[in-house]
Amino acid sequence: MHGGDVYSDENPNGRDLIDFSSNANPYGPPESIYKIQGEALEHAMKYPDIEYRLLRKEILTHHNLSNVSVVLGNGAGEIIDLAIRGIESILILSPSYSEYEESAKRYGVKTSYLEYTHYQIEEKKYQLKIDVDDFYRKFESVDAVIIAHPNNPDGSMLDFKTMNSIVEFAKENNKRIIVDETFFDYSIGKLPFTPFLEENIDLVIIKAITKFYGLPGIRFGYGLCSREETAKNIRSYQRPWNINAYAEKFAIECFKDLDYKMDANITNREERSWLVGHLLELNIIERVYMSQGNYILFKLKNMKAGEFREELIKEGILVRNCDNYKGLDEYFVRIAVKKRSENIKLLSALKK
Amino acid sequence: MHGGDVYSDENPNGRDLIDFSSNANPYGPPESIYKIQGEALEHAMKYPDIEYRLLRKEILTHHNLSNVSVVLGNGAGEIIDLAIRGIESILILSPSYSEYEESAKRYGVKTSYLEYTHYQIEEKKYQLKIDVDDFYRKFESVDAVIIAHPNNPDGSMLDFKTMNSIVEFAKENNKRIIVDETFFDYSIGKLPFTPFLEENIDLVIIKAITKFYGLPGIRFGYGLCSREETAKNIRSYQRPWNINAYAEKFAIECFKDLDYKMDANITNREERSWLVGHLLELNIIERVYMSQGNYILFKLKNMKAGEFREELIKEGILVRNCDNYKGLDEYFVRIAVKKRSENIKLLSALKK
């Protein structure tokens, strides 16, 4: 159901696999994180500020925002969950992150679905796109939409025109837009939804730092809400002190390291493009989807993803079988973009 | 509303106060925690096991339990919250931890209340007790009860006879018992509710390690459920990966250090008894409540707790004003048992 499944009852410490199923930054956290461990431990010996004033201030500074309400979560999933809770009905695109549907189910939120169009760019190269007319027809009859930007599992993004027109539509028709930008940090140069927070609209943008900064075990994400009312509603479901001391310290530290961000982007773009090039050459692969994230979706030609995954485990590699994504059939696989040495191992295994 | 309020808009880094309002162990964590920081950071670079198999196994070993279902929370508060959620009505004793009522409100759980009896042991020495007849009369008409053991804010505990009879009553009448034992680690030699987990009863015991082991910023607590069905229900409200990597590593490390546990208990008992002795001598104090925890409740004679708190802040000391506890009037104050040097500073300030 989720990536990162290297653990099992037989191997509770985790199997010795190269994990291409999870999307955490393979280069590990910024150097400075190692240096502030002692400080973070000191910090953990006190109760956190129940309002996390410093952290919220740093988040606003990081995004150069004001007049925006910040909500904090023990992982981005908490904010996704609570942004969906409390609405009546939601439009979910497919394929997309399965937790959106899980959250809707959990709180009895009615769901409707819109399938992405599988648009062919050139031979074997594909991209997921939204059919805008279909989108509005469906959006009209619900209270909210959730969009992953870039989308998971394929890494597609919206162009400015589409973003702007969705925002205008939501404004006129009084809808909530929830944007999951937990992988946006890999998309430097692309437009985030954050500038729209200043519009008179009910917009919630969810950000994460732990994946991008190589610290998925830290559990921290946050939401930027254009409306204080929405933020209040989200907070009303939260318990006090939901953010741990390490998350607080590490987040603030990560924000400072702009070089890390730039380097990670350059490296990821390079590796992704190298990997895509090689995947396109493989006969077992029917399609590769163009991604703005640090992961790549592809479709197999003659082998089902489940079997493919099992074969690769024998080679010491774990990939994400996407057959449980709504809107994808049993031939889809997602891999993470990792270090060159690991990417080479993956390609050798694929050639086998 | 909560203790530990050293932060403010003016001082987001925290004021320079000795914090007698929060109950974290003043001696800091076990030595070994400092040594495994690097290991914990490595661990944080991977996704945690979504089932946290190792951690759950260590918890069962630590309590010498089997056939018990473990649920894990980002702080004990999460488990308290979810154990209350999903029942129709609950009996809450007062005074007790305010979050019980908050949780009940959050999920529309009907509440009824029973006040503890303020029982005088000898001159100025008091203890909170439960009137058992009253208790059963009220318990009969609800689905569950929540008991803090030891109780917060006073540190009282139940004797074995009462515990046993409550368990028998719940068994016969099919009620859920929720026991908050987050401060039980200070009560070595006293009987926990854990042995009753083997009875055919719907019992949830909530434990914490972060306060006792001096790591309140780590956010970790867990629940031991006699019924798998109850554990399943609690888990159904949780999101994946709710426990951060540091909590996982540090918890397992803390469990190993049995010397720390014994030392903390001996030291706390000594300091508590020393502090109680001195508090009883002060004219401004009308009553002192006998505690099995690392905190002491007392009642002031001629000064309201709010004013008392403000006066002590001027002396660099923060105490917990208990006037917002249901069942206590505006003369009640709770203090933590801290290090001797800090306890001396408190007493000097009180003498002023």
Side-chain angles (χ1 to χ4, degrees), chain A residues 43-48 243-246, chain B residues 210 214-219 244:
Chain A
H43 191 55
M45 294 181 204
K46 292 179 303 189
Y47 267 89
I243 308 302
N244 73 81
Y246 280 87
Chain B
T210 51
L215 294 164
I218 287 297
R219 316 308 302 138
N244 71 81

Side-chain angles (χ1 to χ4, degrees), chain A residues 103-122:
Chain A
S103 294
K105 262 192 214 159
R106 194 174 289 135
Y107 305 116
V109 178
K110 271 179 238 137
T111 48
S112 68
Y113 295 91
L114 174 69
E115 290 213 7
Y116 276 99
T117 311
H118 293 246
Y119 174 81
Q120 184 168 11
I121 304 169
E122 49 186 81

Side-chain angles (χ1 to χ4, degrees), chain B residues 323-341:
Chain B
D323 67 3
N324 64 348
Y325 274 89
K326 214 184 261 289
L328 294 182
D329 65 24
E330 61 265 59
Y331 292 93
F332 283 89
V333 174
R334 190 193 68 196
I335 56 166
V337 176
K338 297 184 87 77
K339 289 180 190 170
R340 178 65 57 99
S341 58

Side-chain angles (χ1 to χ4, degrees), chain A residues 6 18 25-26 36-37 106 137 145-146 165 219 240 247 294 323 352:
Chain A
V6 296
I18 307 181
N25 190 324
I36 63 158
Q37 281 222 82
R106 194 174 289 135
R137 204 150 14 86
V145 66
I146 182 157
S165 109
R219 316 308 304 139
N294 70 331
D323 67 3
K352 275 203 194 171

